[in-house]
Amino acid sequence: MEISYQATDHDLTVLRGQIPIRELPLLMKRHGKDAIVDTWLARALRATMVIGSPEACARQREALGLSQLPTGEIATLPLQQQVDAWRRRGDVGASSEALANVLMGMAHAPEEPAHPRDAGDFQRCALLLVWAPGLRERLPSIATRSTAWRAIVQHWDELEMLLALGDSGHRKINERLSELLS
């Protein structure tokens, strides 16, 4: 059983992989008696579990732009309606809009669509996949549109994991994007 624990700038534990049930009380104890398991945050970070105080989870959600989370019923909506709900949130940039257009197969998507240039841009793109998770399987389609998108898609999981680190992760994303795009 492989487990990876990741500490964040927000006093959280982000778990990836399986965890023996006997270890859960120790993790909960580490975060205090009010610790919670934040399922939305775990989904957004593509983690098995995120544990921390309600305040720490709220800070991480805010840092990730997840202060407005999709409701459980959004998963039952058609993909286009999920994307429309994401757009109504209002935090949409050129690269995330381009990503949505290409992944939805819109004819007016430019041949070489805008790509994330910094952590904020990448965060908006990752948030699109939180609101419309069915688009994740379509990521390879944008990788064919430019060398920048190809590099970003090849390292998508790595960049998403860095989001979980908070401010230090954002700095690392900026560095990594700079490397990938040069």
Side-chain angles (χ1 to χ4, degrees):
M1 250 186 281
E2 187 171 321
I3 305 168
S4 95
Y5 297 85
Q6 182 179 34
T8 72
D9 290 351
H10 298 285
D11 299 321
L12 298 173
T13 299
V14 178
L15 297 125
R16 289 187 169 76
Q18 297 177 342
I19 179 171
I21 197 83
R22 67 182 175 278
E23 290 189 31
L24 279 177
L26 297 172
L27 284 171
M28 298 301 281
K29 196 176 204 178
R30 196 178 300 162
H31 289 284
K33 65 178 179 173
D34 295 329
I36 62 168
V37 174
D38 191 318
T39 56
W40 274 111
L41 199 48
R43 184 175 303 150
L45 296 172
R46 293 185 61 206
T48 304
M49 190 179 299
V50 175
I51 301 172
S53 71
E55 297 78 18
C57 291
R59 284 192 305 272
Q60 180 72 28
R61 283 193 307 272
E62 186 65 34
L64 293 173
L66 295 172
S67 53
Q68 285 182 292
L69 288 171
T71 62
E73 61 209 35
I74 199 164
T76 65
L77 296 175
L79 201 49
Q80 182 61 57
Q81 289 179 9
Q82 292 175 355
V83 172
D84 292 343
W86 164 77
R87 282 188 175 110
R88 283 192 300 273
R89 278 187 71 253
D91 189 16
V92 176
S95 59
S96 58
E97 185 64 39
L99 180 62
N101 290 341
V102 170
L103 298 186
M104 289 301 293
M106 298 195 164
H108 66 276
E111 189 57 38
E112 201 164 312
H115 61 273
R117 297 181 184 279
D118 61 25
D121 288 347
F122 181 77
Q123 181 173 310
R124 284 185 286 278
C125 291
L127 193 55
L128 166 63
L129 301 186
V130 171
W131 281 76
L135 291 180
R136 185 173 298 279
E137 66 192 33
R138 298 179 182 185
L139 271 175
S141 67
I142 199 164
T144 64
R145 302 296 284 274
S146 72
T147 55
W149 271 111
R150 183 173 24 264
I152 291 166
V153 169
Q154 285 174 344
H155 297 274
W156 192 274
D157 290 342
E158 170 193 349
L159 295 167
E160 272 189 329
M161 287 176 64
L162 292 172
L163 279 177
L165 298 176
D167 293 339
S168 65
H170 278 239
R171 285 189 297 278
K172 290 177 183 176
I173 289 171
N174 288 334
E175 291 168 8
R176 193 69 175 114
L177 285 174
S178 180
E179 292 170 8
L180 294 172
L181 302 175
S182 61

